[in-house]
């Protein structure tokens, strides 16, 4: 795959943030994009915007915690565009609470969306991706490279995605399937507003300065390059690269750095 022209790209979590930015960017690069998320109205508007500028888009309302709905998303791509070249498992939620305080149900929710949502979409898309020798992309996080305090369920779900996707890569070594794990750092989006607190309610605000973060559009462009180069791991800004590097040589120092950074957030749950 040299460019995205005429490639069919399925994106979960396309109604907001990084997923929405990827949909716009990849459609502009000539891809046929298939959008999935629960907010069908937002997907309808986004697909309309893409088509109004000459792009090609289909959409399907999907809650990725439900296997039958994930199958319907994949079926939509095949019905509308005849196959799948790239599946981007991007739908995700976050949390903010230390493990002492958090209700266990919050961790289950994180795993259901971030991990199981990835597993279900991969399961139904795999035969089509094997046929096209295409790509699976998991949108993980720097929290999937090293444990992020106050985010046990989030880090666990991203590490679980990595274990699953790395194994899928090896199982498909002789079948030409490309599997990439992308690890954005803090990126301006809705993710901190919708993050679950200790009792499972949404945080509704962001504890960080969103203006100082990467933009979703920057992440979308970096992920695109990673797919076209068939990279295994897609690191982005300095936090991601530094985490990956320092973890190999000084993991205890990295623990202290992560604690320091996260404890400095306003109202940090770290005591
Ligand atoms: P947003 O909150 O802006 O977008 C999240 C997307 O996931 C939305 O489209 C939402 O759509 C969708 N989603 C959530 N739950 C479900 C569900 N059950 N079924 C289907 N879709 C769902 O956040 P981001 O764009 O930031 O997040 C995208 C990915 O990037 C996530 O996996 C996140 O972990 C990862 N990431 C984000 C970082 C950041 O700082 N922003 C940093 C590192 C990684 P809807 O509500 O309509 O269903």
């Amino acid at each position: 795959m040299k460019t995205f022209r005429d490639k069919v790209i399925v994106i979960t979590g396309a109604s907001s943030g990084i997923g929405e930015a990827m949909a716009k960017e990849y459609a502009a690069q000539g891809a046929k994009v298939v959008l999935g998320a629960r907010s069908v109205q937002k997907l309808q508007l986004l697909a309309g915007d893409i088509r109004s500028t000459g792009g090609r888009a289909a959409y399907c309302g999907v809650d990725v915690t439900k296997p039958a709905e994930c199958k319907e998303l994949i079926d939509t791509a095949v019905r509308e565009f005849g196959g799948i070249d790239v599946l981007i498992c991007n739908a995700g939620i976050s949390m903010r609470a230390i493990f002492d305080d958090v209700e266990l149900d919050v961790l289950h929710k994180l795993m259901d969306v971030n991990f199981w949502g990835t597993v279900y979409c991969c399961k139904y898309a795999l035969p089509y991706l094997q046929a096209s020798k295409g790509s699976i992309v998991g949108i993980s996080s720097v929290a999937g490279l090293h444990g992020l305090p106050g985010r046990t369920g989030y880090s666990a779900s991203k590490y679980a995605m990595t274990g699953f996707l790395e194994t899928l890569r090896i199982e498909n070594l002789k079948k030409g399937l490309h599997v990439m794990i992308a690890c954005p750092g803090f990126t301006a989006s809705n993710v901190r507003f919708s993050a679950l607190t200790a009792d499972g309610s949404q945080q509704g605000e962001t504890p960080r300065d969103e203006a100082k973060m990467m933009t979703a559009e920057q992440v979308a462009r970096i992920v695109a390059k990673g797919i076209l180069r068939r990279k295994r791991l897609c690191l982005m800004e300095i936090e991601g690269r530094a985490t990956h590097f320092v973890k190999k040589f000084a993991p205890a120092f990295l623990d202290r750095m992560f604690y320091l950074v996260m404890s400095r957030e306003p109202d940090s749950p770290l005591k």
Side-chain angles (χ1 to χ4, degrees):
M1 200 191 303
K2 298 256 188 308
T3 73
F4 283 164
R5 178 140 297 282
D6 296 328
K7 300 300 177 195
V8 180
I9 304 184
V10 179
I11 304 167
T12 67
S15 64
S16 170
I18 296 169
E20 180 180 357
M22 290 193 289
K24 287 179 179 162
E25 175 66 26
Y26 305 167
Q29 292 187 24
K32 303 170 192 173
V33 292
V34 183
L35 319 172
R38 291 165 305 174
S39 312
V40 183
Q41 269 190 329
K42 286 190 192 167
L43 297 182
Q44 193 178 13
L45 284 173
L46 178 57
D49 283 351
I50 289 170
R51 289 185 198 128
S52 70
T53 53
R56 289 161 294 177
Y59 65 90
C60 175
V62 53
D63 178 341
V64 296
T65 66
K66 299 187 173 146
E69 296 188 16
C70 296
K71 183 174 184 307
E72 182 51 32
L73 173 69
I74 301 307
D75 289 348
T76 301
V78 175
R79 196 168 53 239
E80 296 287 327
F81 298 127
I84 303 176
D85 296 291
V86 181
L87 167 68
I88 305 181
C89 299
N90 165 75
I93 56 169
S94 187
M95 63 171 285
R96 189 171 184 245
I98 55 168
F99 187 65
D100 307 46
D101 302 334
V102 74
E103 286 180 18
L104 290 174
D105 191 44
V106 171
L107 271 63
H108 279 287
K109 281 189 183 142
L110 267 290
M111 292 302 289
D112 281 347
V113 178
N114 300 359
F115 172 65
W116 284 108
T118 297
V119 172
Y120 299 148
C121 291
C122 287
K123 181 72 180 169
Y124 298 116
L126 190 62
Y128 303 104
L129 290 161
Q130 286 170 336
S132 64
K133 299 196 187 310
S135 298
I136 293 177
V137 179
I139 302 295
S140 178
S141 166
V142 171
L145 297 171
H146 199 69
L148 196 62
R151 315 280 192 280
T152 43
Y154 185 69
S155 274
S157 69
K158 297 298 187 182
Y159 270 74
M161 276 175 72
T162 296
F164 167 70
L165 290 172
E166 285 190 350
T167 310
L168 204 53
R169 177 193 291 135
I170 300 168
E171 284 184 2
N172 285 275
L173 209 57
K174 304 285 170 71
K175 294 184 185 162
L177 181 75
H178 163 235
V179 178
M180 181 173 90
I181 296 159
C183 299
F186 291 116
T187 304
S189 81
N190 198 47
V191 80
R192 276 159 294 278
F193 295 88
S194 64
L196 305 181
T197 59
D199 65 5
S201 60
Q202 292 195 338
Q203 184 164 240
E205 58 182 7
T206 175
R208 307 190 73 89
D209 185 350
E210 300 280 321
K212 288 193 177 148
M213 297 176 187
M214 284 188 88
T215 65
E217 290 71 23
Q218 286 173 311
V219 172
R221 285 192 290 273
I222 295 168
V223 170
K225 280 189 197 151
I227 297 169
L228 293 173
R229 291 177 190 162
R230 290 176 93 80
K231 288 174 88 168
R232 295 160 60 90
L233 179 65
C234 181
L235 300 170
M236 320 224 160
E237 72 307 77
I238 183 70
E239 290 123 301
R241 290 176 202 287
T243 299
H244 185 61
F245 182 78
V246 176
K247 188 178 176 88
K248 286 184 186 162
F249 304 105
F253 170 75
L254 197 59
D255 288 352
R256 289 197 292 277
M257 284 299 104
F258 270 44
Y259 188 95
L260 189 69
V261 169
M262 300 312 282
S263 64
R264 282 182 176 167
E265 280 188 342
D267 302 324
S268 172
L270 296 171
K271 282 143 192 151

